[in-house]
Amino acid sequence: MPIMKLVLVALATAVVHGGAFAQGYPTKPIRILVGFSAGSTTDILARTVGQKMSEAWGQPVLVDNRPSAGGVVASSTVASAEADGHTLLVVSAGHAASAAMFAKLPYDTLRDFAGVSRIANVPSILVVSPELGVKTVKELVALARSKPGQLNFSSPGVGSANHLAGELFKTLAGVDALHVPYKGIPEAMSAVITGSVQFNFSPVVNVLSLTRDGKLVALATTTGKRSAALPELPTVAEAGVPGYAFDPWFGLLAPAKTPKPLLAKLAGEVARIVELADVKERLRTLGADAAPTTPEEFDLYIRGEVAKFQKIVKDAGIKPE
């Protein structure tokens, strides 16, 4: 049999088998890995999706938290897992940021994973310490320019999306500020509250109660449009830094070579879940907007995000570690 015919037969067989496997999936408990601690936005979204999958499919869905810098440990585990859909990964935009920040990772961000679906976008908010006496983005920019290198901003780690949101701000606003990494979002925000650092970019869910209690001052949302949770708050671009747009996202990945029919089944389930009334309410409390995609769309989106972060790193003069 000619080689090309053999290849075509093999491909057809794989499609048939993949489709049949998808119909019977899942055949055992599903494990969703999260590279951040319990209670983080990534963790909450993983548990929300996992619970609904379990209810629909009658198999346990277990969330496995593996906190590490940028989620590298969790990502490594999934990259080397069997591509049968029973080991999945929920990631944030930091997954793409890590590809730009670190010269060497124990996996290839674009080749070792198959996109399933984006789950949601969750706006981040630029906040400052009340002690700073700043009420607007323009005032923060003016202060930073008057004190080059003397203002600090915090993040939950080098290479995190929050870190790169700050670097993009520095570049577009033309200011010099020092990045100070912490172990997680709570620690990074506490540093702003106590005045150890002057500003921070954090998810809206982590900001709301603290701004209402007067412990932080919210200046703007990082996204291209205003947040539904804080509609009175301008975007960074509206508030004085033209061109600024940073849309934090969260999504579901599988190991590379996971059969396409199985990826499609998982993506369809994510799209169904985010439209459920109780899930919509859960997303609302997070300040999140549902943003499901097809597997192909998510793969393309991540590729674009990696390129975007690489540009931010280059423009900021950061050397990948």
Side-chain angles (χ1 to χ4, degrees), residues 25-319:
Y25 170 89
T27 58
K28 59 183 180 180
I30 298 169
R31 184 167 57 130
I32 300 178
L33 276 83
V34 173
F36 302 92
S37 58
S40 64
T41 303
T42 316
D43 173 74
I44 292 169
L45 290 174
R47 292 180 187 279
T48 299
V49 170
Q51 177 187 345
K52 296 302 181 182
M53 283 183 173
S54 180
E55 292 172 1
W57 291 339
Q59 286 283 359
V61 178
L62 311 173
V63 174
D64 185 353
N65 297 90
R66 302 283 185 92
S68 67
V72 172
V73 172
S75 296
S76 299
T77 303
V78 175
S80 60
E82 187 176 354
D84 63 358
H86 291 92
T87 303
L88 304 172
L89 176 69
V90 170
V91 296
S92 68
H95 179 74
S98 292
M101 285 297 302
F102 300 109
K104 291 185 179 181
L105 288 169
Y107 52 82
D108 187 293
T109 304
L110 299 178
R111 289 202 304 263
D112 290 344
F113 302 93
V116 174
S117 175
R118 200 164 67 223
I119 299 170
N121 293 334
V122 182
S124 281
I125 305 298
L126 169 57
V127 294
V128 297
S129 166
E131 297 178 6
L132 200 60
V134 165
K135 301 296 183 182
T136 68
V137 171
K138 287 184 178 180
E139 289 178 0
L140 176 63
V141 171
L143 180 63
R145 287 176 179 172
S146 70
K147 298 181 176 182
Q150 296 182 46
L151 265 60
N152 303 328
F153 74 97
S154 60
S155 86
V158 174
S160 64
N162 311 63
H163 172 202
L164 295 191
E167 295 294 347
L168 180 61
F169 178 78
K170 285 171 52 181
T171 299
L172 294 182
V175 300
D176 180 16
L178 177 66
H179 170 239
V180 182
Y182 287 82
K183 290 182 179 181
I185 288 176
E187 293 85 355
M189 293 185 67
S190 292
V192 184
I193 294 170
T194 60
S196 299
V197 302
Q198 285 69 52
F199 65 98
N200 168 275
F201 293 84
S202 288
V204 63
V205 66
N206 299 104
V207 167
L208 279 175
S209 63
L210 294 172
T211 57
R212 288 168 181 163
D213 292 342
K215 295 180 179 179
L216 291 172
V217 178
L219 300 185
T221 179
T222 65
T223 48
K225 63 179 183 179
R226 296 193 179 201
S227 166
L230 291 168
E232 72 284 358
L233 204 63
T235 67
V236 173
E238 288 175 332
V241 185
Y244 188 97
F246 196 96
D247 293 276
W249 52 267
F250 298 82
L252 185 65
L253 299 175
K257 299 183 181 180
T258 300
K260 288 187 176 181
L262 184 49
L263 294 175
K265 181 172 182 176
L266 283 163
E269 182 64 4
V270 171
R272 181 191 72 84
I273 288 170
V274 296
E275 288 300 317
L276 296 173
D278 59 332
V279 174
K280 282 185 175 181
E281 177 59 22
R282 185 60 169 146
L283 293 179
R284 188 192 65 77
T285 64
L286 294 174
D289 297 316
T293 63
T294 66
E296 294 78 13
E297 288 170 342
F298 195 32
D299 278 333
L300 186 61
Y301 183 79
I302 291 175
R303 190 171 295 276
E305 287 289 282
V306 169
K308 179 184 79 175
F309 287 128
Q310 287 172 336
K311 185 178 186 304
I312 293 173
V313 168
K314 181 179 179 181
D315 290 347
I318 301 172
K319 291 184 178 180

